[in-house]
Amino acid sequence: MGRQPGARGRPGGGYCRLHCMISDHLAGIHAFYMSALPNLDLAGTAVFALSGALVAAKARQTLLTFAFFAAITGVGGGTVRDLLIGAPVFWMHATTPIAVCLIMALLVWFTPRIFWPDRAIDWFDGIGLAAYGVYGAAKALAYGIPWLPAAIMGVVTACMGGIFRDVLAGVPSIVIRPELYVTAAALAAGSYVLLTTCGAPDLFAALVAFALGFGLRGVAIWKGLALPTYRG
């Protein structure tokens, strides 16, 4: 009996092998997303919530406002991401994310202001930026989103919580401040997508992408590094 269509040596064989490779790659990302990356998501939620609570502390708000700012900053970006990729909104199906936000609000509330330097908001926000950039891109890939929209979802996840926080606080949004911000989120998300697409192990890709994103944001905070502005 002859070989079936799509078997090796027939026109469809290469496509089938490519399809299987892509399927295996996406399955690996999904498995990594389900196992290791939730820890990165929780870390990003915690530090973003902390930055939100610090904004409330700087404005000398009430405990209720602390909790609200921590929650909107901690889960805001992930909420927008999940709505866009068609995933269940993550904090509606688990108590941990909101609980973490509330714990961060209480931590700041009961800690003397002297323990939080003026730039603490920027540094905690930078950690969350890199973590959420990687996690957002990984979750989008796990849900079958193509590579470019997946990278953009990493940026959305990383930036939207900070935007919500700043708008509600009535301060200039962090995305229009001079030093690099969105660029650092794009580097974290884009690096993860690129490395996994090239076949790098998922954990290695996540660690490298996080380090690159946070490193760039850290240099931007430290040195005031910024992109050239429009001079038209």
Side-chain angles (χ1 to χ4, degrees), residues 15 20-21 60 93-94 122 160 169 204 219 226 228 231:
Y15 170 80
C20 289
M21 288 175 61
R60 298 191 175 277
H93 299 272
D122 292 333
M160 288 305 298
F204 172 79
V219 171
R231 300 185 184 278

Side-chain angles (χ1 to χ4, degrees), residues 29-59:
I29 291 175
H30 184 73
F32 182 60
Y33 155 70
M34 293 298 292
S35 58
L37 279 179
N39 296 323
L40 190 62
D41 177 39
L42 200 58
T45 299
V47 292
F48 263 140
L50 193 61
S51 75
L54 286 173
V55 169
K58 191 173 183 179

Side-chain angles (χ1 to χ4, degrees), residues 200-228:
D202 294 307
L203 180 58
F204 172 79
L207 292 175
V208 170
F210 173 82
L212 289 173
F214 179 63
L216 181 60
R217 180 59 185 149
V219 171
I221 295 170
W222 182 34
K223 295 291 188 179
L225 189 64
L227 293 175

Side-chain angles (χ1 to χ4, degrees), residues 39-91:
N39 296 323
L40 190 62
D41 177 39
L42 200 58
T45 299
V47 292
F48 263 140
L50 193 61
S51 75
L54 286 173
V55 169
K58 191 173 183 179
R60 298 191 175 277
Q61 295 295 315
T62 65
L63 179 58
L64 183 61
T65 306
F66 270 59
F68 181 75
F69 268 68
I72 198 68
T73 310
V75 304
T79 300
V80 175
R81 174 204 62 221
D82 288 349
L83 291 173
L84 288 174
I85 69 175
V89 177
F90 70 108
W91 60 272

Side-chain angles (χ1 to χ4, degrees), residues 125-136:
D125 188 86
I127 297 171
L129 184 81
Y132 258 11
V134 173
Y135 182 78

Side-chain angles (χ1 to χ4, degrees), residues 105-164:
L106 289 172
L107 174 64
V108 176
W109 176 265
F110 287 110
T111 304
R113 183 73 176 86
I114 194 174
F115 285 95
W116 306 110
D118 289 339
R119 301 226 70 176
I121 296 172
D122 292 333
W123 285 104
F124 283 118
D125 188 86
I127 297 171
L129 184 81
Y132 258 11
V134 173
Y135 182 78
K139 185 168 185 178
L141 288 173
Y143 273 78
I145 305 298
W147 67 271
L148 182 56
I152 293 173
M153 284 302 97
V155 176
V156 168
T157 308
C159 295
M160 288 305 298
I163 293 173
F164 291 151

